[in-house]
PDB file of all heavy atoms in Angstrom:
ATOM      1  N   SER A   1      -9.847 -16.217 -19.782  1.00 96.00           N
ATOM      2  CA  SER A   1     -11.269 -15.880 -19.865  1.00 96.00           C
ATOM      3  C   SER A   1     -11.798 -16.035 -21.280  1.00 96.00           C
ATOM      4  O   SER A   1     -12.919 -16.508 -21.473  1.00 96.00           O
ATOM      5  CB  SER A   1     -11.506 -14.446 -19.386  1.00 96.00           C
ATOM      6  OG  SER A   1     -11.260 -14.346 -18.006  1.00 96.00           O
ATOM      7  N   GLU A   2     -10.980 -15.655 -22.258  1.00 96.00           N
ATOM      8  CA  GLU A   2     -11.385 -15.766 -23.670  1.00 96.00           C
ATOM      9  C   GLU A   2     -11.635 -17.200 -24.114  1.00 96.00           C
ATOM     10  O   GLU A   2     -12.453 -17.439 -24.987  1.00 96.00           O
ATOM     11  CB  GLU A   2     -10.326 -15.112 -24.565  1.00 96.00           C
ATOM     12  CG  GLU A   2     -10.297 -13.613 -24.491  1.00 96.00           C
ATOM     13  CD  GLU A   2      -9.130 -12.996 -25.275  1.00 96.00           C
ATOM     14  OE1 GLU A   2      -8.421 -13.739 -25.981  1.00 96.00           O
ATOM     15  OE2 GLU A   2      -8.922 -11.782 -25.128  1.00 96.00           O
ATOM     16  N   ILE A   3     -10.945 -18.164 -23.490  1.00 96.00           N
ATOM     17  CA  ILE A   3     -11.151 -19.564 -23.880  1.00 96.00           C
ATOM     18  C   ILE A   3     -12.147 -20.263 -22.962  1.00 96.00           C
ATOM     19  O   ILE A   3     -12.334 -21.472 -23.075  1.00 96.00           O
ATOM     20  CB  ILE A   3      -9.840 -20.356 -23.953  1.00 96.00           C
ATOM     21  CG1 ILE A   3      -9.169 -20.476 -22.596  1.00 96.00           C
ATOM     22  CG2 ILE A   3      -8.897 -19.754 -24.988  1.00 96.00           C
ATOM     23  CD1 ILE A   3      -8.096 -21.536 -22.548  1.00 96.00           C
ATOM     24  N   GLY A   4     -12.775 -19.526 -22.053  1.00 94.00           N
ATOM     25  CA  GLY A   4     -13.847 -20.092 -21.259  1.00 94.00           C
ATOM     26  C   GLY A   4     -13.483 -20.565 -19.862  1.00 94.00           C
ATOM     27  O   GLY A   4     -14.287 -21.202 -19.196  1.00 94.00           O
ATOM     28  N   VAL A   5     -12.290 -20.256 -19.373  1.00 94.00           N
ATOM     29  CA  VAL A   5     -11.940 -20.593 -18.004  1.00 94.00           C
ATOM     30  C   VAL A   5     -12.719 -19.667 -17.071  1.00 94.00           C
ATOM     31  O   VAL A   5     -12.617 -18.453 -17.178  1.00 94.00           O
ATOM     32  CB  VAL A   5     -10.415 -20.477 -17.745  1.00 94.00           C
ATOM     33  CG1 VAL A   5     -10.075 -20.684 -16.264  1.00 94.00           C
ATOM     34  CG2 VAL A   5      -9.666 -21.490 -18.604  1.00 94.00           C
ATOM     35  N   THR A   6     -13.511 -20.271 -16.170  1.00 89.00           N
ATOM     36  CA  THR A   6     -14.401 -19.439 -15.338  1.00 89.00           C
ATOM     37  C   THR A   6     -13.892 -19.195 -13.942  1.00 89.00           C
ATOM     38  O   THR A   6     -14.454 -18.369 -13.236  1.00 89.00           O
ATOM     39  CB  THR A   6     -15.786 -20.111 -15.238  1.00 89.00           C
ATOM     40  OG1 THR A   6     -15.611 -21.426 -14.695  1.00 89.00           O
ATOM     41  CG2 THR A   6     -16.444 -20.186 -16.603  1.00 89.00           C
ATOM     42  N   GLY A   7     -12.860 -19.886 -13.498  1.00 91.00           N
ATOM     43  CA  GLY A   7     -12.369 -19.641 -12.162  1.00 91.00           C
ATOM     44  C   GLY A   7     -10.908 -20.016 -12.029  1.00 91.00           C
ATOM     45  O   GLY A   7     -10.421 -20.937 -12.685  1.00 91.00           O
ATOM     46  N   LEU A   8     -10.223 -19.281 -11.182  1.00 95.00           N
ATOM     47  CA  LEU A   8      -8.826 -19.595 -10.880  1.00 95.00           C
ATOM     48  C   LEU A   8      -8.465 -18.974  -9.537  1.00 95.00           C
ATOM     49  O   LEU A   8      -9.163 -18.103  -9.040  1.00 95.00           O
ATOM     50  CB  LEU A   8      -7.888 -19.090 -11.992  1.00 95.00           C
ATOM     51  CG  LEU A   8      -7.950 -17.649 -12.454  1.00 95.00           C
ATOM     52  CD1 LEU A   8      -7.059 -16.753 -11.600  1.00 95.00           C
ATOM     53  CD2 LEU A   8      -7.521 -17.548 -13.872  1.00 95.00           C
ATOM     54  N   THR A   9      -7.385 -19.445  -8.958  1.00 97.00           N
ATOM     55  CA  THR A   9      -6.886 -18.912  -7.708  1.00 97.00           C
ATOM     56  C   THR A   9      -5.518 -18.311  -7.955  1.00 97.00           C
ATOM     57  O   THR A   9      -4.681 -18.919  -8.635  1.00 97.00           O
ATOM     58  CB  THR A   9      -6.763 -20.039  -6.653  1.00 97.00           C
ATOM     59  OG1 THR A   9      -8.053 -20.641  -6.478  1.00 97.00           O
ATOM     60  CG2 THR A   9      -6.258 -19.507  -5.328  1.00 97.00           C
ATOM     61  N   VAL A  10      -5.287 -17.125  -7.412  1.00 98.00           N
ATOM     62  CA  VAL A  10      -4.021 -16.432  -7.608  1.00 98.00           C
ATOM     63  C   VAL A  10      -3.389 -16.161  -6.251  1.00 98.00           C
ATOM     64  O   VAL A  10      -4.053 -15.715  -5.320  1.00 98.00           O
ATOM     65  CB  VAL A  10      -4.243 -15.074  -8.346  1.00 98.00           C
ATOM     66  CG1 VAL A  10      -2.954 -14.288  -8.450  1.00 98.00           C
ATOM     67  CG2 VAL A  10      -4.821 -15.318  -9.718  1.00 98.00           C
ATOM     68  N   THR A  11      -2.091 -16.468  -6.141  1.00 98.00           N
ATOM     69  CA  THR A  11      -1.345 -16.238  -4.912  1.00 98.00           C
ATOM     70  C   THR A  11      -0.055 -15.514  -5.240  1.00 98.00           C
ATOM     71  O   THR A  11       0.623 -15.887  -6.195  1.00 98.00           O
ATOM     72  CB  THR A  11      -1.022 -17.597  -4.231  1.00 98.00           C
ATOM     73  OG1 THR A  11      -2.176 -18.391  -4.134  1.00 98.00           O
ATOM     74  CG2 THR A  11      -0.430 -17.390  -2.866  1.00 98.00           C
ATOM     75  N   GLU A  12       0.304 -14.532  -4.428  1.00 97.00           N
ATOM     76  CA  GLU A  12       1.600 -13.890  -4.563  1.00 97.00           C
ATOM     77  C   GLU A  12       2.624 -14.762  -3.817  1.00 97.00           C
ATOM     78  O   GLU A  12       2.438 -15.049  -2.646  1.00 97.00           O
ATOM     79  CB  GLU A  12       1.591 -12.484  -3.983  1.00 97.00           C
ATOM     80  CG  GLU A  12       0.732 -11.524  -4.749  1.00 97.00           C
ATOM     81  CD  GLU A  12       0.755 -10.114  -4.186  1.00 97.00           C
ATOM     82  OE1 GLU A  12       1.633  -9.816  -3.337  1.00 97.00           O
ATOM     83  OE2 GLU A  12      -0.106  -9.333  -4.580  1.00 97.00           O
ATOM     84  N   VAL A  13       3.665 -15.155  -4.535  1.00 96.00           N
ATOM     85  CA  VAL A  13       4.686 -16.022  -3.936  1.00 96.00           C
ATOM     86  C   VAL A  13       6.088 -15.457  -4.240  1.00 96.00           C
ATOM     87  O   VAL A  13       6.222 -14.522  -5.011  1.00 96.00           O
ATOM     88  CB  VAL A  13       4.596 -17.479  -4.473  1.00 96.00           C
ATOM     89  CG1 VAL A  13       3.271 -18.113  -4.060  1.00 96.00           C
ATOM     90  CG2 VAL A  13       4.754 -17.527  -5.984  1.00 96.00           C
ATOM     91  N   LYS A  14       7.095 -16.034  -3.617  1.00 90.00           N
ATOM     92  CA  LYS A  14       8.477 -15.666  -3.912  1.00 90.00           C
ATOM     93  C   LYS A  14       9.244 -16.952  -4.129  1.00 90.00           C
ATOM     94  O   LYS A  14       8.946 -17.983  -3.522  1.00 90.00           O
ATOM     95  CB  LYS A  14       9.090 -14.897  -2.739  1.00 90.00           C
ATOM     96  CG  LYS A  14       8.488 -13.528  -2.556  1.00 90.00           C
ATOM     97  CD  LYS A  14       9.216 -12.767  -1.480  1.00 90.00           C
ATOM     98  CE  LYS A  14       8.569 -11.398  -1.374  1.00 90.00           C
ATOM     99  NZ  LYS A  14       9.396 -10.503  -0.603  1.00 90.00           N
ATOM    100  N   GLY A  15      10.239 -16.903  -5.002  1.00 86.00           N
ATOM    101  CA  GLY A  15      11.036 -18.065  -5.268  1.00 86.00           C
ATOM    102  C   GLY A  15      12.193 -17.751  -6.222  1.00 86.00           C
ATOM    103  O   GLY A  15      12.394 -16.608  -6.586  1.00 86.00           O
ATOM    104  N   PHE A  16      12.923 -18.800  -6.556  1.00 79.00           N
ATOM    105  CA  PHE A  16      13.997 -18.636  -7.534  1.00 79.00           C
ATOM    106  C   PHE A  16      14.173 -19.941  -8.286  1.00 79.00           C
ATOM    107  O   PHE A  16      13.807 -21.007  -7.802  1.00 79.00           O
ATOM    108  CB  PHE A  16      15.307 -18.181  -6.880  1.00 79.00           C
ATOM    109  CG  PHE A  16      15.950 -19.240  -6.025  1.00 79.00           C
ATOM    110  CD1 PHE A  16      16.861 -20.128  -6.556  1.00 79.00           C
ATOM    111  CD2 PHE A  16      15.653 -19.318  -4.679  1.00 79.00           C
ATOM    112  CE1 PHE A  16      17.451 -21.106  -5.774  1.00 79.00           C
ATOM    113  CE2 PHE A  16      16.246 -20.269  -3.881  1.00 79.00           C
ATOM    114  CZ  PHE A  16      17.145 -21.157  -4.429  1.00 79.00           C
ATOM    115  N   GLY A  17      14.718 -19.813  -9.456  1.00 78.00           N
ATOM    116  CA  GLY A  17      15.013 -20.972 -10.283  1.00 78.00           C
ATOM    117  C   GLY A  17      16.470 -20.871 -10.710  1.00 78.00           C
ATOM    118  O   GLY A  17      17.349 -20.588  -9.901  1.00 78.00           O
ATOM    119  N   ARG A  18      16.696 -21.040 -11.975  1.00 72.00           N
ATOM    120  CA  ARG A  18      18.058 -21.007 -12.484  1.00 72.00           C
ATOM    121  C   ARG A  18      18.738 -19.646 -12.311  1.00 72.00           C
ATOM    122  O   ARG A  18      19.941 -19.550 -12.217  1.00 72.00           O
ATOM    123  CB  ARG A  18      18.085 -21.381 -13.963  1.00 72.00           C
ATOM    124  CG  ARG A  18      17.824 -22.839 -14.179  1.00 72.00           C
ATOM    125  CD  ARG A  18      18.041 -23.196 -15.623  1.00 72.00           C
ATOM    126  NE  ARG A  18      17.731 -24.600 -15.807  1.00 72.00           N
ATOM    127  CZ  ARG A  18      17.410 -25.124 -16.944  1.00 72.00           C
ATOM    128  NH1 ARG A  18      17.336 -24.376 -18.013  1.00 72.00           N
ATOM    129  NH2 ARG A  18      17.158 -26.403 -17.023  1.00 72.00           N
ATOM    130  N   GLN A  19      17.938 -18.570 -12.291  1.00 67.00           N
ATOM    131  CA  GLN A  19      18.553 -17.257 -12.201  1.00 67.00           C
ATOM    132  C   GLN A  19      19.110 -16.976 -10.822  1.00 67.00           C
ATOM    133  O   GLN A  19      19.894 -16.063 -10.637  1.00 67.00           O
ATOM    134  CB  GLN A  19      17.582 -16.158 -12.654  1.00 67.00           C
ATOM    135  CG  GLN A  19      16.544 -15.789 -11.615  1.00 67.00           C
ATOM    136  CD  GLN A  19      15.204 -16.452 -11.805  1.00 67.00           C
ATOM    137  OE1 GLN A  19      15.130 -17.609 -12.201  1.00 67.00           O
ATOM    138  NE2 GLN A  19      14.147 -15.746 -11.518  1.00 67.00           N
ATOM    139  N   LYS A  20      18.740 -17.706  -9.811  1.00 65.00           N
ATOM    140  CA  LYS A  20      19.269 -17.635  -8.457  1.00 65.00           C
ATOM    141  C   LYS A  20      19.189 -16.231  -7.849  1.00 65.00           C
ATOM    142  O   LYS A  20      20.067 -15.811  -7.120  1.00 65.00           O
ATOM    143  CB  LYS A  20      20.746 -18.087  -8.407  1.00 65.00           C
ATOM    144  CG  LYS A  20      20.971 -19.460  -8.952  1.00 65.00           C
ATOM    145  CD  LYS A  20      20.743 -20.505  -7.885  1.00 65.00           C
ATOM    146  CE  LYS A  20      21.299 -21.837  -8.292  1.00 65.00           C
ATOM    147  NZ  LYS A  20      20.353 -22.742  -8.855  1.00 65.00           N
ATOM    148  N   GLY A  21      18.154 -15.480  -8.163  1.00 60.00           N
ATOM    149  CA  GLY A  21      18.008 -14.135  -7.608  1.00 60.00           C
ATOM    150  C   GLY A  21      18.896 -13.155  -8.351  1.00 60.00           C
ATOM    151  O   GLY A  21      19.404 -13.428  -9.425  1.00 60.00           O
ATOM    152  N   HIS A  22      19.106 -11.998  -7.748  1.00 62.00           N
ATOM    153  CA  HIS A  22      19.944 -10.982  -8.345  1.00 62.00           C
ATOM    154  C   HIS A  22      20.411 -10.009  -7.265  1.00 62.00           C
ATOM    155  O   HIS A  22      19.964 -10.052  -6.146  1.00 62.00           O
ATOM    156  CB  HIS A  22      19.185 -10.232  -9.460  1.00 62.00           C
ATOM    157  CG  HIS A  22      17.988  -9.481  -8.966  1.00 62.00           C
ATOM    158  ND1 HIS A  22      16.761 -10.073  -8.756  1.00 62.00           N
ATOM    159  CD2 HIS A  22      17.845  -8.174  -8.614  1.00 62.00           C
ATOM    160  CE1 HIS A  22      15.913  -9.164  -8.322  1.00 62.00           C
ATOM    161  NE2 HIS A  22      16.527  -8.018  -8.219  1.00 62.00           N
ATOM    162  N   THR A  23      21.346  -9.115  -7.628  1.00 66.00           N
ATOM    163  CA  THR A  23      21.841  -8.117  -6.664  1.00 66.00           C
ATOM    164  C   THR A  23      21.209  -6.773  -6.987  1.00 66.00           C
ATOM    165  O   THR A  23      20.919  -6.446  -8.135  1.00 66.00           O
ATOM    166  CB  THR A  23      23.376  -7.997  -6.723  1.00 66.00           C
ATOM    167  OG1 THR A  23      23.760  -7.643  -8.048  1.00 66.00           O
ATOM    168  CG2 THR A  23      24.038  -9.305  -6.331  1.00 66.00           C
ATOM    169  N   GLU A  24      21.005  -5.987  -5.947  1.00 65.00           N
ATOM    170  CA  GLU A  24      20.453  -4.641  -6.080  1.00 65.00           C
ATOM    171  C   GLU A  24      21.265  -3.691  -5.212  1.00 65.00           C
ATOM    172  O   GLU A  24      21.940  -4.103  -4.296  1.00 65.00           O
ATOM    173  CB  GLU A  24      18.975  -4.611  -5.664  1.00 65.00           C
ATOM    174  CG  GLU A  24      18.062  -5.318  -6.627  1.00 65.00           C
ATOM    175  CD  GLU A  24      16.594  -5.130  -6.282  1.00 65.00           C
ATOM    176  OE1 GLU A  24      16.288  -4.395  -5.338  1.00 65.00           O
ATOM    177  OE2 GLU A  24      15.752  -5.726  -6.969  1.00 65.00           O
TER     178      GLU A  24
END
């Protein structure tokens, strides 16, 4: 917003990369 971007779309997603998730 500070640099003048007036619109965006936000989506909640799930995924993994190199960390391959974790254990809980």
Side-chain angles (χ1 to χ4, degrees):
S1 292
E2 288 173 8
I3 64 165
V5 172
T6 57
L8 53 88
T9 301
V10 175
T11 310
E12 292 182 14
V13 296
K14 292 185 179 194
F16 69 91
R18 288 187 181 158
Q19 78 262 37
K20 305 275 194 263
H22 63 277
T23 58
E24 289 187 3

